[in-house]
Amino acid sequence: SQQGEEDPQALSIQEGENATMNCSYKTSINNLQWYRQNSGRGLVHLILIRSNEREKHSGRLRVTLDTSKKSSSLLITASRAADTASYFCATDAPRSGAGSYQLTFGKGTKLSVIP
Amino acid sequence: DAGVTQSPTHLIKTRGQHVTLRCSPISGHKSVSWYQQVLGQGPQFIFQYYEKEERGRGNFPDRFSARQFPNYSSELNVNALLLGDSALYLCASSYLGSGELFFGEGSRLTVL
């Protein structure tokens, strides 16, 4: 089952504009991550934010987390055509057992950046 | 350094057949996970192995099985293939079994 739900499902913007994607989830989490996927290829990790953090930056990426609303947002500033991809949020719920670890992904936001 | 490698990259099978997918994690990574991604959806967790033991299993039927070898590489096996098993199968590795996952490019399975 998918825990996260990204919004919007698809987003089309002009190069240079900012892109904002949102993610909502249902259960308590240890951390939330964002991944990027180009055209059905492997996923690439973008950023991880822990449940006790509210905001994190990495280059042109800014992620916020609101655990009271069970939501997160990913902002890509000054977008480029190369940012065209699908973006997924993934949550890691508190787990039992040493070494056990699984991510629950949302359905993704498909971002198109028009040159 | 080599990333996560998966083989084969593409394969076509018919219903009822069996398939084996292979994954080599990043050197030094002890945890390997398998995810299924159906077209238009996000990846869904199938299995996780850490130090050669199964640590987690997703909501998949017993037709799906996996194992991790002493060199930390892994195989995913699917028996009695159904049309609905057509998907991109992704392998991911991590050092401690937590935090950032490093994904391979996937094995795209088509079941006819």
Side-chain angles (χ1 to χ4, degrees), chain A residues 1 35 37 41 98-99 101 103, chain B residues 37 44 48 55 97 99 105:
Chain A
S1 62
Y35 286 82
Q37 184 178 40
R41 300 186 64 184
Y101 186 65
L103 294 182
Chain B
Q37 186 178 24
Q44 281 210 311
Q48 187 227 348
R55 302 290 181 157
E105 292 296 325

Side-chain angles (χ1 to χ4, degrees), chain A residues 43-94:
Chain A
L43 280 77
V44 175
H45 179 265
L46 295 176
I47 196 165
L48 180 153
I49 186 165
R50 302 194 187 283
S51 59
N52 61 354
E53 297 175 312
R54 293 295 167 258
E55 188 171 313
K56 203 162 183 179
H57 297 255
S58 176
R60 295 185 295 115
L61 305 180
R62 172 179 169 254
V63 169
T64 61
L65 178 64
D66 187 335
T67 53
S68 66
K69 295 182 180 178
K70 291 187 170 59
S71 68
S72 173
S73 68
L74 171 67
L75 168 68
I76 304 174
T77 60
S79 63
R80 306 165 182 168
D83 295 327
T84 295
S86 291
Y87 292 82
F88 296 90
C89 69
T91 53
D92 163 31

Side-chain angles (χ1 to χ4, degrees), chain B residues 2-6 23-26 29 91-94 102-106:
Chain B
V4 177
T5 57
Q6 292 188 242
C23 172
S24 293
I26 291 172
H29 284 193
C91 175
S93 75
S94 64
F102 295 82
F103 283 85
E105 292 296 325

